[in-house]
Amino acid sequence: MSGAGPEIERLMALLSKLPGLGPRSARRAALALLKRRDQLLIPLTHAMQDAADKIESCRICGRLSTQNPCTTCVDPMRDETMICVVEEDSALWAMERVGAFTGKYHVLGGLLSALDGIRPEDLRLDSLISRVRSGRVREIIMALPATVEGQTTAHYIADRLKGFDNQVDITFLARGVPVGGDLDWLDDNTIAHAFKSRR
Amino acid sequence: MSGAGPEIERLMALLSKLPGLGPRSARRAALALLKRRDQLLIPLTHAMQDAADKIESCRICGRLSTQNPCTTCVDPMRDETMICVVEEDSALWAMERVGAFTGKYHVLGGLLSALDGIRPEDLRLDSLISRVRSGRVREIIMALPATVEGQTTAHYIADRLKGFDNQVDITFLARGVPVGGDLDWLDDNTIAHAFKSRR
Ligand SMILES: [Zn+2]
Ligand SMILES: [Zn+2]
């Protein structure tokens, strides 16, 4: 109960579910939206409605996009022999900001985790294996966090790809990614460097 | 440029205008919305559309409400001899959470500030004076921040009310409100105490 009336309280309750917003910052956000109706509330509502209507996960790589397959998947200028595997779109966005990678992507949608009960079938792992098996992929770059879950997931993928006829190199982002670090929180130079010195 | 495509970037740009969200947290918020389409994106979009359609400022007190005049203004159980003057709705919400005040409110919509160029005509000051002049108001409680702007605004109101026929007491929240403190950030006990010991 915030004393603001049911409609505003519902708005606050939903805003507080956004990462980084607690009850107090959700109240401030709700007030900012209501005070700036034409400059913020209505444009943001439209942008969200637009996103809900148009954005879906690419059926090839899993990327969030208004096109399906996404622009990266259909872009003939991008090297289809390389796939960069990321946990979430945020890591892909970070890569694209840097602009150091010109291959294709695969968004897993999470990481394997015994603790959280996330199994292979909960992630886009079968579709990754299919892409590698059917395509001209020569290198898979594991741009996954340097956490237990990130390493477990990378090893699971490597295991699944053993014994294929086509030779696929599996590389990892090297220097610069701190242990437990989320790609989205790194500066662009660090990402570019880690890319160049992948092993 | 975040590498996410124009629709998602527009969403991020608007989210980053919310108080407390910078570019990085706006990216995380956008990803959370897009990943939780049915549980978060669509319900929040509807709540915001609902707010944009229904919520306006009460023509008497300025409070954000789906009713006009708002429920507080028309509630016969609330003491119309007392008006609690607040800067923004967030302070009113804090008061209502505490439940210590049973009078009416007046939301100024800001504070006088020479620095920010906020003049009396930019705030709901004339309507406050009219309410006091025409009504049965006996006490105005200044629930304003203990800042230069808060004090300037309180003194301006006191000056405007001098020389009226009806005697109106002007009181201030007393102990517990820290200098520069925003009411919304105080614990409820502090607010209740400050109310009781208003001077
Ligand atoms: Zn794609
Ligand atoms: Zn009202």
Side-chain angles (χ1 to χ4, degrees), chain A residues 123-154:
Chain A
L123 307 177
R124 290 187 196 90
L125 282 167
D126 284 347
S127 59
L128 172 62
I129 307 302
S130 302
R131 285 178 77 185
V132 177
R133 189 175 292 187
S134 65
R136 303 180 211 165
V137 179
R138 290 289 163 267
E139 181 180 357
I140 295 177
I141 299 153
M142 299 285 186
L144 299 176
T147 58
V148 172
E149 289 79 13
Q151 299 312 300
T152 302
T153 308

Side-chain angles (χ1 to χ4, degrees), chain A:
Chain A
M1 245 300 282
S2 71
E7 291 82 5
I8 298 177
E9 278 165 34
R10 178 160 161 258
L11 182 61
M12 289 172 184
L14 287 164
L15 285 169
S16 74
K17 291 185 182 176
L18 290 173
L21 289 188
R24 277 184 171 155
S25 42
R27 289 202 290 269
R28 288 178 62 215
L31 183 63
L33 286 167
L34 293 166
K35 281 201 74 174
R36 300 180 62 202
R37 187 180 182 282
D38 294 335
Q39 305 83 14
L40 189 53
L41 175 56
I42 289 177
L44 182 55
T45 305
H46 288 171
M48 287 168 58
Q49 188 65 58
D50 215 35
D53 291 343
K54 292 186 192 165
I55 294 170
E56 56 186 333
S57 294
C58 170
R59 63 175 173 266
I60 297 175
C61 73
R63 177 182 189 170
L64 293 163
S65 174
T66 53
Q67 291 171 57
N68 197 351
C70 74
T71 46
T72 316
C73 282
V74 299
D75 186 348
M77 300 301 288
R78 296 194 76 125
D79 185 351
E80 62 180 349
T81 67
M82 298 167 94
I83 291 181
C84 178
V85 176
V86 294
E87 179 186 359
E88 298 287 4
D89 283 78
S90 48
L92 185 158
W93 300 336
M95 293 284 183
E96 288 296 288
R97 280 199 303 279
V98 176
F101 178 64
T102 55
K104 309 277 184 174
Y105 288 101
H106 198 87
V107 183
L108 295 177
L111 297 173
L112 294 176
S113 168
L115 205 66
D116 296 329
I118 301 181
R119 300 152 305 170
E121 56 266 38
D122 299 322
L123 307 177
R124 290 187 196 90
L125 282 167
D126 284 347
S127 59
L128 172 62
I129 307 302
S130 302
R131 285 178 77 185
V132 177
R133 189 175 292 187
S134 65
R136 303 180 211 165
V137 179
R138 290 289 163 267
E139 181 180 357
I140 295 177
I141 299 153
M142 299 285 186
L144 299 176
T147 58
V148 172
E149 289 79 13
Q151 299 312 300
T152 302
T153 308
H155 287 130
Y156 175 89
I157 295 169
D159 277 349
R160 288 275 306 266
L161 291 176
K162 269 182 193 152
F164 279 11
D165 284 343
N166 47 343
Q167 178 59 42
V168 177
D169 291 331
I170 295 181
T171 60
F172 295 84
L173 292 195
R175 302 198 313 163
V177 181
V179 173
D182 183 342
L183 226 55
D184 187 40
W185 289 84
L186 296 177
D187 68 282
D188 294 353
N189 272 336
T190 304
I191 297 175
H193 193 85
F195 230 98
K196 274 182 222 141
S197 53
R198 67 184 183 269
R199 54 180 170 74

Side-chain angles (χ1 to χ4, degrees), chain B residues 123-179:
Chain B
L123 306 177
R124 291 188 196 89
L125 282 167
D126 283 347
S127 58
L128 173 62
I129 307 302
S130 301
R131 283 178 79 185
V132 177
R133 189 174 292 188
S134 64
R136 304 180 212 165
V137 180
R138 288 291 164 267
E139 181 179 358
I140 294 176
I141 300 154
M142 299 285 185
L144 298 176
T147 58
V148 172
E149 289 80 12
Q151 299 313 300
T152 302
T153 308
H155 287 130
Y156 175 89
I157 295 169
D159 277 349
R160 289 275 306 266
L161 292 175
K162 269 183 192 151
F164 279 10
D165 284 346
N166 47 342
Q167 178 61 42
V168 177
D169 291 331
I170 296 180
T171 60
F172 295 84
L173 292 196
R175 300 199 313 160
V177 181
V179 173

Side-chain angles (χ1 to χ4, degrees), chain B residues 4 9 13 56 60-61 67 72 88 98 112 118-119 121 128 137 154 157 168 181:
Chain B
E9 278 165 34
E56 57 186 332
I60 297 175
C61 73
Q67 289 171 58
T72 316
E88 299 287 4
V98 176
L112 294 176
I118 301 181
R119 300 153 304 173
E121 54 267 39
L128 173 62
V137 180
I157 295 169
V168 177

Side-chain angles (χ1 to χ4, degrees), chain B residues 2 17 27 53 74 89 100 129 145 159-160 175 185 198:
Chain B
S2 72
K17 292 185 183 176
R27 288 203 290 269
D53 291 343
V74 298
D89 282 79
I129 307 302
D159 277 349
R160 289 275 306 266
R175 300 199 313 160
W185 290 85
R198 68 183 181 267

Side-chain angles (χ1 to χ4, degrees), chain B residues 58-63 69-73:
Chain B
C58 170
R59 65 175 172 265
I60 297 175
C61 73
R63 177 181 190 172
C70 73
T71 47
T72 316
C73 281

